[in-house]
Amino acid sequence: MSTLYAQDITDAIRYSQNEIQGSARFRALSGAFGALGGDMSAVSLNPAGSAVFSQSHASFTLSNIDTSNDTQYFNGFGASNESNFDINQGGAVFVFSSNSKSPWRKLTLGIAYDKTNDFNDNWFVFGTNTNNQSIDFYFLNYADGKRLDEISALPGESLDEAYTDNGRVYGYGNQQAFLGYESYILEPDADDDANTLYTSNLANGTFDHDYTLASSGYNGKLTFNMAAQYEDNLYLGLNLNSHFLDYQRTTLLFEDNANPASLVTAIEFENTLTTTGTGFSFQLGGILKLSEEFRVGFSYDSPIWYTIQEETTQYLGTDGDNGFIGINPQVINVFPDYKLQTPAKLTGSLAYVFGQQGLISFDYSRKDYSKTQFRPTSDPVFADENNYMSNILTSASTYRVGGEYKVKQFSFRGGYRFEESPYKDGVTIGDLTGYSLGLGYN
């Protein structure tokens, strides 16, 4: 069950991964363009790719992304669909050829926008949990060890005021424990301000769950590119990238139970998260033509250094022996800005071009997700999270293969990609396999 907690491993993975976006040709070849160049989306992969253009070039790409999700939760099956129309890519490269006898034959300057990830999605699960698992554990974990007077409302204080004060004085964890206590999910062992032990008012048994997640937003990159051609066979390039992210997520959980001795029989728990951020990275790349047909490429993507802002809102309602209790503070929790450093990436590429007839291309990339870090590392919460990520995340390889075959004005394209899981267990997020097909007409 997904629970909302600011600045955790889920966020780190989300902002460290990219989808295959960009031009139609780039996507049709599954993004295997590291040694090819000559495409605006390829410039975002290997900055040397802009020097392959023989003349100035501009392009933009419109696309519709249709996402379907099928879910299973115990005895419940769900299906959902999300469709989103947007601009995936746009940019231009300006080519300056040399008329002198200098070995530097060409200089290119470019600017490009790429949407590197799309966060528009929704899914839901429902079913009867037979493993005695309730949302009460979420609140119990936060309440454990906290004084009762630090997670409850003061005399004469409204629940909305107390929720705000708990967050301002004690922090996020006390807010969650406060919600559990004031909604009667939790019961203190003693009615004493110094009490630090709590039990659940939900009895053991089965629980009916209905959980929905809806998200929106994107991750984008604005690239300033410079590349050059040296003699006839070597292309070198540099990208300076400005990153920006925008992410919104709403989760809603309904839980019901008819377990004997349960004082709380229904729970409704809603969380919203809004994340915005900016970042910087750079890329270095090269392409070498070993012959007219055979090319190799190499690129280095630095870490992305993000500065991120987050805001959350919450609502909790319960029903049972104490009647309906609704805690709807309508308070926006604004977290202090924090920094996230994503892992660097190395990419090696090979391509074989059959004259004007077609081509086949292969890219291999490697990224060590265990190097992901929240900063400042002096913060004990971030230090714990960084240590946790270094223990359960690992290096992951990505393989991409693409091909194109031309028949008169038509280009038939296809691709394949395989991405290893960033998790050591390979289960929390599994390996990804993708296929692509495309048709072009010139």
Side-chain angles (χ1 to χ4, degrees):
M1 185 178 300
S2 174
T3 55
L4 183 143
Y5 183 77
Q7 303 110 33
D8 66 9
I9 189 172
T10 309
D11 301 311
I13 294 295
R14 181 188 308 113
Y15 306 136
S16 297
Q17 292 185 313
N18 293 334
E19 256 298 340
I20 296 180
Q21 306 282 340
S23 69
R25 189 179 183 219
F26 184 82
R27 298 183 71 172
L29 272 66
S30 289
F33 259 85
L36 291 173
D39 184 280
M40 286 307 304
S41 294
V43 175
S44 71
L45 180 68
N46 186 338
S50 65
V52 176
F53 286 111
S54 58
Q55 58 187 3
S56 297
H57 174 88
S59 71
F60 73 96
T61 302
L62 301 173
S63 72
N64 185 77
I65 301 175
D66 192 71
T67 305
S68 299
N69 290 309
D70 296 316
T71 60
Q72 179 182 352
Y73 181 73
F74 291 89
N75 61 331
F77 296 86
S80 59
N81 183 270
E82 177 78 19
S83 185
N84 183 47
F85 183 81
D86 205 352
I87 296 177
N88 260 4
Q89 167 274 327
V93 167
F94 302 94
V95 179
F96 304 93
S97 299
S98 173
N99 295 320
S100 67
K101 295 183 179 180
S102 169
W104 295 98
R105 304 293 173 81
K106 189 192 308 175
L107 173 68
T108 62
L109 298 175
I111 184 171
Y113 161 77
D114 287 276
K115 185 168 73 171
T116 57
N117 212 338
D118 187 289
F119 299 137
N120 289 277
D121 200 8
N122 73 80
W123 53 268
F124 68 94
V125 297
F126 67 93
T128 301
N129 189 310
T130 57
N131 289 344
N132 189 34
Q133 292 173 330
S134 164
I135 192 64
D136 64 350
F137 288 108
Y138 172 82
F139 300 104
L140 280 168
N141 286 336
Y142 279 113
D144 185 38
K146 293 182 173 62
R147 288 174 56 98
L148 179 60
D149 59 358
E150 294 179 354
I151 65 169
S152 58
L154 297 173
E157 187 179 32
S158 71
L159 295 181
D160 293 356
E161 291 171 338
Y163 175 87
T164 304
D165 292 340
N166 268 266
R168 183 175 61 248
V169 177
Y170 300 113
Y172 180 85
N174 283 64
Q175 273 186 330
Q176 307 314 294
F178 166 84
L179 290 173
Y181 171 73
E182 293 292 354
S183 64
Y184 292 97
I185 293 175
L186 307 183
E187 189 70 31
D189 283 12
D191 190 13
D192 185 282
D193 285 347
N195 175 80
T196 58
L197 299 175
Y198 305 87
T199 56
S200 173
N201 279 323
L202 284 78
N204 292 340
T206 61
F207 298 89
D208 294 327
H209 286 140
D210 189 332
Y211 181 84
T212 302
L213 183 147
S215 65
S216 62
Y218 68 100
N219 204 331
K221 179 174 73 171
L222 183 65
T223 297
F224 299 92
N225 168 264
M226 180 174 67
Q229 178 182 344
Y230 184 79
E231 295 190 336
D232 293 331
N233 300 322
L234 179 62
Y235 307 89
L236 301 171
L238 166 68
N239 283 346
L240 299 178
N241 305 310
S242 177
H243 298 261
F244 34 92
L245 63 90
D246 181 57
Y247 178 67
Q248 297 87 36
R249 180 181 69 206
T250 298
T251 62
L252 179 61
L253 169 71
F254 291 99
E255 177 180 293
D256 295 289
N257 78 89
N259 303 326
S262 274
L263 300 183
V264 175
T265 56
I267 299 173
E268 180 183 0
F269 190 34
E270 182 180 39
N271 287 275
T272 65
L273 168 69
T274 299
T275 303
T276 57
T278 56
F280 171 79
S281 71
F282 67 88
Q283 295 167 279
L284 300 171
I287 296 174
L288 177 63
K289 292 173 64 176
L290 299 178
S291 66
E292 283 301 315
E293 296 82 15
F294 194 57
R295 305 176 185 182
V296 297
F298 175 83
S299 63
Y300 167 78
D301 290 32
S302 76
I304 303 174
W305 294 279
Y306 279 115
T307 299
I308 298 176
Q309 304 84 38
E310 289 189 332
E311 299 177 354
T312 65
T313 62
Q314 295 185 290
Y315 165 79
L316 178 65
T318 62
D319 202 0
D321 288 6
N322 294 293
F324 176 78
I325 305 295
I327 305 176
N328 187 20
Q330 298 187 3
V331 169
I332 299 175
N333 298 308
V334 180
F335 292 89
D337 291 1
Y338 69 95
K339 297 184 184 299
L340 172 66
Q341 178 181 310
T342 69
K345 182 176 73 171
L346 292 173
T347 302
S349 310
L350 301 172
Y352 193 84
V353 180
F354 305 93
Q356 299 297 316
Q357 198 67 40
L359 60 89
I360 186 168
S361 179
F362 170 77
D363 284 3
Y364 169 79
S365 301
R366 191 161 183 84
K367 184 185 292 189
D368 187 356
Y369 287 91
S370 68
K371 302 297 185 183
T372 306
Q373 284 192 334
F374 290 108
R375 295 187 172 186
T377 55
S378 57
D379 186 303
V381 175
F382 288 164
D384 288 344
E385 196 68 28
N386 292 340
N387 183 61
Y388 177 62
M389 291 190 293
S390 66
N391 289 329
I392 70 169
L393 299 180
T394 187
S395 297
S397 297
T398 298
Y399 307 84
R400 297 179 181 180
V401 179
E404 180 178 57
Y405 186 75
K406 295 183 179 181
V407 178
K408 296 183 179 179
Q409 275 71 45
F410 289 94
S411 297
F412 299 91
R413 301 161 182 158
Y416 166 82
R417 65 168 165 154
F418 177 79
E419 297 181 12
E420 293 179 339
S421 167
Y423 284 83
K424 288 181 179 178
D425 62 17
V427 175
T428 307
I429 293 178
D431 296 336
L432 182 146
T433 301
Y435 304 90
S436 57
L437 289 173
L439 177 66
Y441 180 80
N442 188 344

